[in-house]
Amino acid sequence: MQLIQSRAQRACGALVLSLGLTGLAAAQASAHAEVGPPTVQKGASQMFTVAVPTEDAKATTTQIVLTVPAGFSIDSFEAEPGWKRSVQSTGSGEEAVIQKVTWTGGKTPTGEDSVFRFLGQPAKSGVYTFGVQQTYSTGKIVDWSGPESSDTPAPVVKAVSSIGGGGSSSTLGVIALIVAALALVLGLVGLAGGRRSLT
């Protein structure tokens, strides 16, 4: 009976490790320009983060241009040391609508992300697709505006009517369910073994 339990425990450990490595590999493979959080509540103002990876081994990132989708408003920005920010907007004062933001003057090295934060909100439910243009110190330009399956996918934020407790499943959630199921099996095996020893 101990042998059965030992094998089940090893199988559980191997499965958890495998799923963990799969999630890690997926995270490493998705080194793309991102705007997050990926899912937010419509009409709710919150902090968003733009992160753009420097993937060129022989250059630094010196400029980032963010194109804001229609229906998504930016209220204010968090200052980023080493970068200068300029905005292109329509209207004026409180009625101003920011359409494009440009950060220049930075020098983000290979393997690091250029990160910027702003307070914003989507007006309605739906999918908001941002445009990101990245310029390297060599003059090379990367346009993060392609479809999800491309090498340069555009960052996307989904706005929903309400954020509930359920709905989306993550790798960690799947792992937790599998571990719980295996723990139940091990418990039943142990219980059966205990009953046999008493008879």
Side-chain angles (χ1 to χ4, degrees):
M1 188 57 62
Q2 288 181 345
L3 180 60
I4 294 175
Q5 289 178 327
S6 177
R7 287 179 178 173
Q9 288 169 346
R10 283 200 299 271
C12 177
L15 182 58
V16 171
L17 178 60
S18 174
L19 288 172
L21 291 175
T22 299
L24 178 61
Q28 291 175 338
S30 61
H32 302 314
E34 300 284 351
V35 176
T39 303
V40 297
Q41 184 172 337
K42 70 171 183 179
S45 183
Q46 68 177 63
M47 188 65 73
F48 289 84
T49 300
V50 182
V52 186
T54 299
E55 300 178 311
D56 194 319
K58 299 180 181 180
T60 59
T61 296
T62 58
Q63 177 177 287
I64 297 294
V65 179
L66 176 72
T67 300
V68 184
F72 189 101
S73 61
I74 294 180
D75 301 321
S76 61
F77 297 90
E78 183 176 303
E80 297 298 339
W83 292 87
K84 295 179 181 179
R85 182 185 67 251
S86 62
V87 299
Q88 177 182 324
S89 60
T90 58
S92 60
E94 294 183 358
E95 301 300 320
V97 177
I98 296 175
Q99 298 175 315
K100 188 173 292 187
V101 188
T102 301
W103 289 274
T104 58
K107 294 181 179 179
T108 306
T110 307
E112 295 187 12
D113 285 4
S114 301
V115 179
F116 311 99
R117 295 180 179 85
F118 59 85
L119 194 64
Q121 62 179 349
K124 300 178 180 179
S125 298
V127 176
Y128 293 82
T129 303
F130 292 79
V132 174
Q133 188 181 77
Q134 174 184 21
T135 302
Y136 282 98
S137 55
T138 57
K140 173 185 174 182
I141 295 177
V142 178
D143 236 342
W144 298 95
S145 57
E148 185 179 358
S149 59
S150 69
D151 291 334
T152 54
V156 173
V157 170
K158 182 179 181 181
V160 296
S161 57
S162 64
I163 302 293
S168 62
S169 61
S170 64
T171 301
L172 290 178
V174 173
I175 291 174
L177 288 174
I178 292 174
V179 170
L182 288 174
L184 178 60
V185 171
L186 288 174
L188 292 174
V189 169
L191 183 60
R195 285 178 175 174
R196 287 175 184 172
S197 63
L198 290 175
T199 58

